[in-house]
Amino acid sequence: MSSPSPALAYRLEAARAVVHDASRLAMSMRPPPGGPMATQKSAQDWLTETDGAVEAFIASRMKTLFPEDGFQGEEGGIARSGRLRWVVDPIDGTSNYARGRSRWCVSLGLLDGDEPVAGVIEAPALNEVYTALRGAGAFLNGKPIHASPVKDPASAMIEMGWSNRVPKPVFMEKIDAIMELGAMPRSGGSGALALADVACGRLDGYIEIVINLWDVAAALPLLAEAGARVSPFLRDGGLTGPATILAANPHIAETLSQAVNIPLA
Ligand code: LIP
């Protein structure tokens, strides 16, 4: 990939500031530890007041900064069209956020046409900010990150996302295949943070059978710049609807792909 344009570099810096302010808003509205302070959009698909407030905040700030850019959010859908399009998940890991748990984030990705080119993921309860710009690297709190060096699946840690969108037999089949590899299974409730963990080497792989563009838009450039392998989520329908994703370190990606039957190409 060629070196990034100054216009994209400027947009990433502006997005970092907006996401940081949005993260502070989310922290100010954070529910205490306990039962979920939220409503259910569908079974176990949670929505808090913060989701709407954070998305509205980011939409307004990005419209002021870049009125010519498109904007799409999990809650509001496609608000504006443009060659450059911002895609936001205002609170990724809402089920965790709603109970006062810490594994959630504000995720803002930038697409140039159909190509993810930049992303910011801030997890304020974890004091972590991930950034990536195509051609300029991926970073966690300003330090370069790379996919893990783990080669042996029996030494790997692999996460699988869960939702009621996936029939139980399918979930059980895939998690069984992961465990048959000898890998240690995880499921943390935030697809964006799990994909970020693959990018920084904390996870060796992540799969989710049904996940949305707003969950992954910021993580895709992170994974590309960190040297991870990623299945063709956007080509497989992810640009316009839910689709399957696999992301893994390059050493075990093929083995994981075959084990869970998610093609990498
Ligand atoms: C979540 C995703 C996660 C998925 C959850 C939920 P949300 O997004 O990040 O990967 O397994 O079911 O969809 O709803 O917290 O923004």
Side-chain angles (χ1 to χ4, degrees), residues 106-130:
V106 178
S107 176
L108 181 61
L110 180 61
L111 277 70
D112 183 348
D114 294 346
E115 176 73 27
V117 293
V120 181
I121 296 172
E122 180 160 353
L126 303 174
N127 294 311
E128 294 188 341
V129 182
Y130 297 87

Side-chain angles (χ1 to χ4, degrees), residues 74 89 91-94 162-163 165 189-191 206 208 211 215:
E74 176 177 6
D89 190 336
I91 302 291
D92 186 73
T94 300
W162 177 88
S163 77
R165 302 184 293 268
S190 168
Y206 181 74
E208 184 148 5
I211 194 168
D215 298 312

Side-chain angles (χ1 to χ4, degrees), residues 31 35-52 74-75 91 93-99:
M37 292 179 67
T39 57
Q40 293 190 63
K41 295 189 275 189
S42 60
Q44 291 283 13
D45 186 5
W46 295 92
L47 177 67
T48 68
E49 285 184 26
T50 312
D51 290 89
E74 176 177 6
E75 310 310 335
I91 302 291
T94 300
S95 60
N96 293 330
Y97 179 84
R99 303 186 76 116

Side-chain angles (χ1 to χ4, degrees), residues 211-213 232-244:
I211 194 168
N212 292 293
L213 178 63
F233 169 83
L234 298 177
R235 186 202 69 191
D236 292 350
L239 269 176
T240 55
T244 294

Side-chain angles (χ1 to χ4, degrees), residues 205-226:
Y206 181 74
I207 69 167
E208 184 148 5
I209 303 306
V210 178
I211 194 168
N212 292 293
L213 178 63
W214 48 81
D215 298 312
V216 310
L220 288 175
L222 209 65
L223 290 159
E225 291 299 307

